[in-house]
Amino acid sequence: MRPNSLHAADIAHFIHQQTDLADHHAHGAVLMARGEGVHVFDTEGREYIEAMAGLWCASLGFSEKRLADAAHKQLLALPYYHTFFQKGHEPAVRLAEKLIEMAPGNLTHVLFQCSGSEANDAAIKLIWYYNNQRGKPSKKKLIGRIRGYHGNTVATASLSGQPHMQADFDLPYGDRFLHVSNPNYYRAHQPGETELQFSARMAAELEALIEREGADNIAAFFAEPVQGGGGAITPPEGYFQAIQPILKKHDILFVADEVICGFGRTGNMWGCETYGITPDILTCAKQLTAAYQPLSATLISAPIQEALIQGSRKHGSFGHGFTYGGHPVACAVGLETLAIYAERDMVGHVQRVSPAFLNGLAAFRGHPLVGDVRGVGLIAGVELMEDKATRTPFDPARKIGILVQQKCHEAGLVVRAIGDRIAFTPPLIMTEAEIALMCRRFGQGLDAAWMAMREAAAVPA
């Protein structure tokens, strides 16, 4: 590595997020320089298909000029204003209005932040505030799911069921965070157990937890329609239909984390529509601006909004907010993004290309490394497995997922290894021809990883 180069400066001064920092310190990073459609190019000129849409978010690819123009226009008119102290601006109002028009269920009001983590963190605060206003101060515990992901703040990392995000960070913080099982049917089902039976078992586990903790102590259940950070895990048949009546019976709010699933990813505008979820709160981010600006939203129902008004009467103000929440440039880009989705029928496009995407990946079920493939719309997870017959996973210490990820990278494909699951969430604009190329490169990556494993096994210790 050249002294004083960009890569040397990166190692010397920049902390990469969700990264093996020891490996980064030794080998450096891949630094991207530009993008075009579904492709990105690094500083050495190498081209990649970005099959993760960055971090699940670049839905319109990496060169949508209309979004750059929308940001530029707003920067010239009003580059910044806040939404504190009864102040605001048109882009935030119009975007809130549009989101409620699009929203599933009976959601009525919108609170803007900058990230999905902040959207879920705000939801947690609002839930606790809501129960205080309605005279239920003990109703504060929150239920997440193992391998669920809801963010990186102290509260949302505590709610998330991701051990590596909690280890040595002194998380979970406090005793308000509970977890139920990861509903990964392929890995966790019992011999002969159908998906419906598995879902009933997951629901029974939830109800047992509620009875053990006491319904009067539990405020909300958080769930992604498809578990993104857990490995692009789709719910088993009947899962949410079994879960929701239990929550309703015990007066427990359902928070739908649509940060990854929202805006067409699952083949509908919302994952809630795909899986029949009626949320009390919905959080969204990522594809809200197609990743061209940092923006998230927390959508709430009328009873929660009324509690906020009651609390404001009591305290003289609603004591919550972020300096850049509802930033006018981000909101202007969000409005333009939603307009593009409608004009280009992006949901319909996802529905049309999804069979090529899902069938293309399903064809790898016969590969020696692949145990299972599941997905919906344009999100899928490929499960790597040492022994398919017994569903015996690889020893995590072998880092087979990372090996496959690296070999895919060498083949010109960006995917994400989440343990030994390979996640795919390409830009929504991806064509069938680009999907075919993605699958060819994935096959090359799998084959190269398999060959490397065989060669390593043949070398005497």
Side-chain angles (χ1 to χ4, degrees):
M1 188 176 299
R2 298 188 306 275
N4 302 317
S5 69
L6 180 64
H7 287 80
D10 175 60
I11 292 173
H13 303 295
F14 186 58
I15 300 173
H16 287 253
Q17 302 171 94
Q18 297 286 357
T19 292
D20 182 338
L21 293 179
D23 186 76
H24 172 253
H25 183 75
H27 300 108
V30 176
L31 302 178
M32 296 302 177
R34 66 183 184 91
E36 180 67 35
V38 302
H39 304 268
V40 291
F41 301 80
D42 67 20
T43 51
E44 307 303 311
R46 291 184 292 261
E47 171 268 336
Y48 309 87
I49 291 178
E50 231 302 355
M52 284 300 299
L55 283 176
W56 326 77
C57 50
S59 52
L60 296 176
F62 297 88
S63 55
E64 180 51 67
K65 187 174 183 297
R66 278 179 59 176
L67 298 184
D69 289 343
H72 182 240
K73 181 179 178 181
Q74 185 60 46
L75 281 165
L76 294 177
L78 182 68
Y80 169 72
Y81 212 72
H82 59 81
T83 61
F84 285 38
F85 318 127
Q86 292 177 256
K87 301 293 194 302
H89 47 79
E90 183 174 359
V93 174
R94 293 304 182 197
L95 184 56
E97 180 182 47
K98 185 64 177 176
L99 284 172
I100 292 304
E101 176 188 312
M102 298 168 58
N106 299 306
L107 305 173
T108 62
H109 286 76
V110 178
L111 179 64
F112 288 119
Q113 299 83 204
C114 297
S115 70
S117 296
E118 290 173 335
N120 284 318
D121 196 276
I124 291 169
K125 289 178 67 179
L126 298 188
I127 289 163
W128 291 341
Y129 195 85
Y130 165 69
N131 279 322
N132 285 334
Q133 302 315 309
R134 66 186 188 127
K136 298 192 175 185
S138 68
K139 204 169 178 63
K140 297 293 170 62
K141 293 187 178 184
L142 307 169
I143 301 175
R145 301 181 296 175
I146 295 170
R147 300 300 299 165
Y149 177 78
H150 302 290
N152 257 303
T153 66
V154 168
T156 57
S158 295
L159 176 64
S160 298
Q162 300 275 358
H164 76 284
M165 288 170 44
Q166 298 174 347
D168 281 345
F169 288 110
D170 290 352
L171 299 176
Y173 186 78
D175 62 356
R176 291 187 175 185
F177 302 97
L178 309 171
H179 295 88
V180 291
S181 291
N182 174 3
N184 183 340
Y185 172 77
Y186 173 73
R187 282 225 176 190
H189 76 271
Q190 297 171 354
E193 188 176 40
T194 67
E195 289 196 24
L196 284 173
Q197 291 168 336
F198 176 81
S199 294
R201 179 157 63 86
M202 295 294 99
E205 178 195 0
L206 172 65
E207 186 135 44
L209 173 66
I210 294 169
E211 291 174 357
R212 184 168 66 250
E213 296 287 335
D216 289 343
N217 298 316
I218 299 178
F221 174 81
F222 280 68
E224 308 149 88
V226 176
Q227 283 188 297
I233 300 170
T234 54
E237 182 183 359
Y239 177 78
F240 287 115
Q241 287 67 34
I243 292 290
Q244 289 181 97
I246 296 170
L247 302 175
K248 194 169 188 65
K249 179 174 72 173
H250 293 291
D251 187 28
I252 296 170
L253 298 175
F254 192 127
V255 183
D257 181 340
E258 292 263 15
V259 169
I260 285 172
C261 295
F263 308 105
R265 176 60 63 189
T266 65
N268 290 292
M269 186 56 68
W270 303 103
C272 286
E273 295 174 280
T274 301
Y275 294 109
I277 299 167
T278 303
D280 299 288
I281 297 176
L282 181 150
T283 58
C284 59
K286 295 190 184 291
Q287 297 188 155
L288 174 55
T289 63
Y292 280 60
Q293 283 284 294
L295 183 67
S296 66
T298 305
L299 283 62
I300 63 175
S301 56
I304 298 171
Q305 167 66 8
E306 182 56 36
L308 303 188
I309 294 172
Q310 291 175 10
S312 189
R313 290 193 187 106
K314 177 181 177 182
H315 300 292
S317 176
F318 171 53
H320 172 86
F322 296 96
T323 300
Y324 299 113
H327 194 289
V329 178
C331 289
V333 172
L335 282 165
E336 188 69 6
T337 301
L338 298 185
I340 291 172
Y341 290 160
E343 292 169 22
R344 299 181 187 170
D345 185 24
M346 290 310 302
V347 170
H349 173 76
V350 170
Q351 292 171 355
R352 288 187 289 274
V353 302
S354 178
F357 171 72
L358 297 176
N359 292 336
L361 292 176
F364 291 104
R365 283 198 179 101
H367 193 278
L369 290 177
V370 175
D372 190 46
V373 180
R374 290 170 192 260
V376 64
L378 283 179
I379 180 170
V382 177
E383 189 100 38
L384 308 178
M385 193 63 58
E386 183 166 27
D387 188 320
K388 302 183 191 188
T390 61
R391 285 182 283 136
T392 302
F394 290 101
D395 180 349
R398 296 178 67 185
K399 297 185 177 181
I400 300 302
I402 294 296
L403 174 63
V404 171
Q405 176 182 279
Q406 180 58 38
K407 294 302 181 183
C408 286
H409 180 89
E410 293 170 7
L413 178 66
V414 177
V415 294
R416 180 174 171 188
I418 302 173
D420 283 345
R421 283 182 69 88
I422 306 300
F424 289 80
T425 54
L428 301 186
I429 61 171
M430 184 170 263
T431 65
E432 290 191 8
E434 290 166 337
I435 288 170
L437 180 57
M438 177 195 79
C439 289
R440 284 199 296 274
R441 291 185 181 182
F442 182 51
Q444 292 168 11
L446 281 174
D447 288 346
W450 176 240
M451 182 65 67
M453 291 169 62
R454 294 179 65 188
E455 289 174 353
V459 175

